[in-house]
Amino acid sequence: MKRIAILGSTGTIGVQALEVLSHLDTYEVVALAAGRNVERLAEQVRRHRPKIVGVADEESGRRLRELLREEKVDIVVGDDGLVACAAYPSDVVLNAVVGARGILPALAAVGRGARLALANKECLVAAGDLILRAMRDAGAEIVPVDSEHCALHQCLRSGRAEEVARLVLTASGGPFRTWPRERMAEITVRDALRHPNWSMGQKITIDSATMMNKGLEVIEAHHLFGVPYDKIAVLVHPESIVHSMVEFVDGSMVAQLATADMRLPIQYAITYPARTGAPWPRLDLASVGALHFEEPDLNKFPCLRLAVEAGRSGGIAPCVLNAANEVAVDAFLRERIPFLRIPEVVAAVLERIPNETPQSVDDILRADGQARRLAEDYVAKGG
Amino acid sequence: MKRIAILGSTGTIGVQALEVLSHLDTYEVVALAAGRNVERLAEQVRRHRPKIVGVADEESGRRLRELLREEKVDIVVGDDGLVACAAYPSDVVLNAVVGARGILPALAAVGRGARLALANKECLVAAGDLILRAMRDAGAEIVPVDSEHCALHQCLRSGRAEEVARLVLTASGGPFRTWPRERMAEITVRDALRHPNWSMGQKITIDSATMMNKGLEVIEAHHLFGVPYDKIAVLVHPESIVHSMVEFVDGSMVAQLATADMRLPIQYAITYPARTGAPWPRLDLASVGALHFEEPDLNKFPCLRLAVEAGRSGGIAPCVLNAANEVAVDAFLRERIPFLRIPEVVAAVLERIPNETPQSVDDILRADGQARRLAEDYVAKGG
């Protein structure tokens, strides 16, 4: 039996991960962590019987303890609790926490040599250099859960690292791919949450609509695979069947295709290097009929450009970009700002914080906090 | 420097192989073999200075010796000469001979432990079990040059052999994919030689038009990758960009994509496991725009069904199928039989020769000869 910790267990990825584990009978859940959805978390604890459980705050901790009076389980709270769940002895830590909260548990997991199955791209965006260094120092490994990076991970097996000419990340283009630019001022929260191919959490669905998500994925790919930015391209592929591709120096492109089902990358990240059978439906390309490809429109989707530029700048810029984006997306979801204001908030915050090279995770967290405050001001003042 | 022999050097694949070698500066051509195109062969000898050269017959040998009076090179003739070229010490033998003539040199190459870069699929179709056994006994390896099998070879690197659920060979569908069945009686040689995507030799171009080529490739894939027939599928893909795919047990499909350029698989087969840079154009999927997929129509293309059935039967059936097809295609190219008669000739010959398990290459060659005579009779009598 291998031991696994699932951080973000009540979210979309966490719930699917537990579903995957139900047909993989060689894994034991030793830690679960969630935010405030204590009812669902309590059910998960009763079924999987972890040793340690984390929740967002004291109040959620009290409620969970109430629900689990009969169970023998350690309940821990807050960011420290989340880190304790990642630090608890296990073979695999699935980090499916949303946003920059994922940084500290990612460091805790790789720091003790565990495999990090990574669904939280923000931690690599904000603190990629630090996390990769900790991973190498401890001889740990990171296997991505994002469908695009899981695809790249699979395609990269077809050649050597030095034979890679280009990574090509595919993007659905989101719900506004075919909208004329003029109409984009009218976009409502409901429009933006209507993703054509994937059913995901709210944050990532909005990031897909702005294409910020693809920009964050470019930065994530840069860190995960050690490929420079000028060798990472984005290609719009509305069907989301080809999840990404690697072009090798000989002109060969290797692509990974599958139905849009996150259970596949979740399972791959857990069982790699093995692949195991799975109950989900197979891709039937003859039924799909056609796959389309087009260049992304950077004028319509400035978030993509902003993210790649921040990635190239390095230092704290990607962390600042990510923090400002989290605040802006939250403000859009609460209908405090319109859709087109999201890239404006991000650009304004990036402009006001001078870039620097972070020496430690404290520098990252400080930049993250500063960017959030500035973004919040910008949102509040409508500036 | 590595040493390479090129059999079929004046054909489409041979000429492109020499072009590939011109930018790979670590290979030395030690043997060349061709049929009767002695002028072109003489030029190749002057440029590449091999130690041994093979031609089809005594007459061609005399003409070549005349052209190469000044050169110090061994000239050998006939099937024995071809085998001598394969047996000549080298690291790689590129077998691009057309048809069942490729069997003996394939055996000679793998029998002495050389890498066989295999463009001659007919030898695996006719004598797959024998050649694979010789390969294993000598610790040799076969790397396919066919674009589909080269694609599969690359995709298979993304998992373990026991994790393969299915090989999916793509097929352009040839020039008659969209023709109504009724019109297929009128097909001329010119129609059939007009392949939509690839410029190839005449034999393989007709095989593509009947889809016999795809059936032969199914048999070839079965031998090369040790995958049973019920796990090998054919999918029509008119653009010939996705060259084939592997579906793994977890539902992941890994595909290889590239422009339709045989230099890529030729180079891959020579340099594997390394990939090297190359001067040919890169695939631009945004320019291609769309990739289409559909199920093959086995009623319109009975050769595909015949080949897969012969493969499943095993024994000498694939050898008989291949020999009858070579005669039928030749007869079609000489306008002795119409296009739709090709599968009829093949089916009739398969019916008349009782299947058996060949014990040696002699059994194979005997079955091959018998099938050719029967096919020739069938063509001559218009029966």
Side-chain angles (χ1 to χ4, degrees):
Chain A
M1 293 294 277
K2 286 195 168 181
R3 298 153 304 162
I4 187 168
I6 300 186
L7 315 183
S9 67
T10 59
T12 316
I13 296 290
V15 167
Q16 291 182 87
L18 289 170
E19 202 185 317
V20 165
L21 292 177
S22 71
H23 73 257
L24 297 179
D25 46 10
T26 49
Y27 288 84
E28 181 195 354
V29 177
V30 294
L32 288 176
R36 296 183 176 83
N37 188 347
V38 291
E39 282 75 19
R40 183 167 238 178
L41 182 57
E43 276 172 42
Q44 293 178 340
V45 170
R46 284 193 205 97
R47 183 170 317 153
H48 298 282
R49 307 195 161 271
K51 310 285 190 236
I52 184 171
V53 184
V55 283
D57 49 38
E58 290 293 348
E59 167 55 21
S60 306
R62 267 192 298 276
R63 284 170 51 218
L64 186 67
R65 217 163 274 126
E66 188 69 18
L67 288 167
L68 294 175
R69 261 167 311 184
E70 319 283 295
E71 303 288 326
K72 209 187 121 194
V73 59
D74 258 356
I75 295 176
V76 290
V77 301
D79 280 353
D80 289 350
L82 187 60
V83 169
C85 290
Y88 192 90
S90 67
D91 302 290
V92 179
V93 174
L94 174 66
N95 184 348
V97 166
V98 176
R101 267 196 87 205
I103 297 174
L104 292 174
L107 280 167
V110 297
R112 65 175 175 81
R115 161 164 322 166
L116 178 59
L118 189 63
N120 170 275
K121 62 179 66 104
E122 292 90 341
C123 71
L124 282 190
V125 169
D129 291 332
L130 293 173
I131 292 171
L132 270 283
R133 196 185 309 147
M135 179 196 83
R136 279 188 292 264
D137 288 350
E141 66 184 338
I142 302 179
V143 186
V145 170
D146 247 345
S147 63
E148 291 80 357
H149 301 79
C150 176
L152 293 172
H153 195 276
Q154 294 178 58
C155 298
L156 285 165
R157 294 167 73 171
S158 188
R160 299 167 180 170
E162 65 272 22
E163 293 164 356
V164 173
R166 226 159 45 107
L167 307 181
V168 181
L169 284 152
T170 53
S172 70
F176 308 123
R177 182 179 61 89
T178 58
W179 283 39
R181 221 175 142 196
E182 309 80 68
R183 270 192 66 202
M184 293 183 71
E186 314 157 14
I187 289 169
T188 65
V189 170
R190 224 178 123 194
D191 293 332
L193 285 177
R194 211 178 279 140
H195 193 278
N197 304 324
W198 293 96
S199 165
M200 304 179 289
Q202 290 202 335
K203 160 72 165 54
I204 189 172
T205 303
I206 301 304
D207 282 346
S208 292
T210 62
M211 291 193 76
M212 176 62 89
N213 183 52
K214 207 52 53 179
L216 299 178
E217 287 179 3
V218 168
I219 301 174
E220 186 186 4
H222 163 78
H223 287 295
L224 276 173
F225 306 118
V227 171
Y229 285 99
D230 56 6
K231 291 184 171 181
I232 308 177
V234 170
L235 189 64
V236 172
H237 165 49
E239 291 88 2
S240 296
I241 295 288
V242 176
H243 295 302
S244 278
M245 300 179 260
V246 173
E247 182 184 304
F248 290 99
V249 289
D250 58 359
S252 207
M253 295 194 81
V254 178
Q256 188 261 354
L257 298 80
T259 54
D261 189 325
M262 284 307 295
R263 291 174 296 179
L264 200 167
I266 291 168
Q267 175 173 297
Y268 181 90
I270 294 172
T271 65
Y272 172 80
R275 295 176 181 272
T276 51
W280 44 79
R282 284 345 189 213
L283 174 62
D284 178 353
L285 273 178
S287 299
V288 173
L291 303 175
H292 295 85
F293 302 91
E294 61 190 51
E295 296 293 345
D297 182 343
L298 294 183
N299 291 321
K300 255 174 74 178
F301 299 104
C303 283
L304 174 54
R305 191 174 32 75
L306 284 169
V308 176
E309 281 170 8
R312 283 182 195 271
S313 303
I316 58 168
C319 168
V320 166
L321 167 105
N322 176 61
N325 181 59
E326 284 188 30
V327 171
V329 168
D330 183 72
F332 170 71
L333 282 168
R334 293 169 196 269
E335 301 188 331
R336 294 173 64 204
I337 61 170
F339 187 79
L340 290 181
R341 184 67 60 81
I342 298 173
E344 289 175 21
V345 172
V346 174
V349 173
L350 274 168
E351 238 168 64
R352 286 183 209 176
I353 299 183
N355 203 1
E356 60 180 63
T357 305
Q359 303 301 327
S360 68
V361 71
D362 290 339
D363 290 351
I364 295 283
L365 297 177
R366 199 173 311 117
D368 178 86
Q370 192 190 357
R372 277 169 209 274
R373 281 188 302 277
L374 267 175
E376 189 47 58
D377 282 359
Y378 196 86
V379 165
K381 288 178 190 152
Chain B
M1 291 296 276
K2 287 195 168 180
R3 298 153 304 162
I4 186 166
I6 299 186
L7 315 183
S9 67
T10 59
T12 317
I13 296 291
V15 167
Q16 291 182 85
L18 289 170
E19 201 185 317
V20 165
L21 291 177
S22 71
H23 73 256
L24 297 179
D25 45 11
T26 49
Y27 288 83
E28 179 193 356
V29 177
V30 293
L32 289 175
R36 296 183 177 83
N37 188 349
V38 291
E39 283 75 20
R40 183 167 238 178
L41 183 57
E43 277 172 40
Q44 293 178 339
V45 170
R46 284 193 205 96
R47 183 169 318 152
H48 298 282
R49 309 196 159 269
K51 311 284 190 239
I52 184 170
V53 184
V55 283
D57 49 38
E58 290 294 348
E59 167 56 22
S60 306
R62 267 191 298 277
R63 286 170 49 220
L64 186 67
R65 217 164 274 125
E66 189 69 17
L67 288 167
L68 295 175
R69 262 168 310 186
E70 318 284 294
E71 303 287 328
K72 208 186 120 195
V73 59
D74 258 356
I75 295 177
V76 291
V77 302
D79 281 352
D80 289 351
L82 187 59
V83 169
C85 290
Y88 192 91
S90 66
D91 302 290
V92 179
V93 175
L94 174 66
N95 184 348
V97 166
V98 177
R101 268 195 86 203
I103 298 174
L104 292 173
L107 281 167
V110 297
R112 65 174 176 84
R115 157 153 337 156
L116 179 59
L118 188 63
N120 170 275
K121 62 178 66 102
E122 292 90 342
C123 71
L124 282 189
V125 169
D129 290 332
L130 293 173
I131 291 171
L132 269 283
R133 199 186 307 147
M135 178 195 85
R136 280 187 291 262
D137 288 351
E141 65 184 339
I142 302 179
V143 186
V145 170
D146 246 346
S147 62
E148 291 81 356
H149 301 80
C150 176
L152 293 172
H153 195 277
Q154 294 179 57
C155 297
L156 285 166
R157 294 167 75 171
S158 188
R160 299 167 181 170
E162 66 272 22
E163 293 165 355
V164 172
R166 227 159 42 107
L167 307 181
V168 181
L169 284 152
T170 53
S172 71
F176 308 123
R177 182 179 61 88
T178 58
W179 282 39
R181 221 177 142 192
E182 308 81 67
R183 272 192 65 202
M184 293 182 71
E186 313 157 15
I187 289 169
T188 65
V189 170
R190 222 178 126 196
D191 293 333
L193 285 177
R194 211 179 279 140
H195 194 278
N197 304 324
W198 293 96
S199 165
M200 305 179 289
Q202 289 202 336
K203 161 72 166 52
I204 189 172
T205 303
I206 302 303
D207 283 346
S208 292
T210 63
M211 289 193 77
M212 176 61 89
N213 183 51
K214 207 51 53 178
L216 300 178
E217 287 179 2
V218 169
I219 302 173
E220 185 186 5
H222 163 77
H223 287 296
L224 275 174
F225 305 118
V227 171
Y229 285 99
D230 56 6
K231 291 184 171 182
I232 307 177
V234 171
L235 188 64
V236 172
H237 165 49
E239 291 88 2
S240 296
I241 295 288
V242 176
H243 295 302
S244 278
M245 299 179 260
V246 174
E247 182 183 305
F248 290 98
V249 290
D250 58 0
S252 209
M253 296 195 80
V254 178
Q256 188 261 354
L257 298 79
T259 53
D261 190 325
M262 285 306 296
R263 291 174 296 178
L264 200 168
I266 292 168
Q267 174 173 297
Y268 181 89
I270 294 172
T271 66
Y272 170 81
R275 294 176 182 272
T276 51
W280 44 79
R282 287 338 190 217
L283 174 62
D284 178 354
L285 273 178
S287 299
V288 173
L291 304 175
H292 295 87
F293 302 91
E294 61 191 48
E295 296 293 345
D297 182 342
L298 293 183
N299 291 321
K300 257 174 74 177
F301 300 104
C303 283
L304 174 54
R305 193 175 28 78
L306 284 169
V308 176
E309 281 170 8
R312 283 181 196 272
S313 303
I316 58 167
C319 169
V320 167
L321 167 105
N322 176 62
N325 180 61
E326 284 188 29
V327 172
V329 168
D330 184 71
F332 169 70
L333 282 169
R334 294 170 195 271
E335 301 188 333
R336 295 174 63 204
I337 61 171
F339 187 78
L340 290 181
R341 185 66 61 82
I342 298 172
E344 288 174 22
V345 172
V346 174
V349 173
L350 274 167
E351 239 169 61
R352 284 184 211 178
I353 300 184
N355 203 0
E356 60 181 61
T357 305
Q359 304 301 327
S360 67
V361 73
D362 290 339
D363 291 350
I364 296 282
L365 297 178
R366 199 174 313 118
D368 178 86
Q370 192 189 356
R372 278 171 207 273
R373 283 188 301 277
L374 268 174
E376 190 46 60
D377 282 358
Y378 196 85
V379 165
K381 289 178 190 150

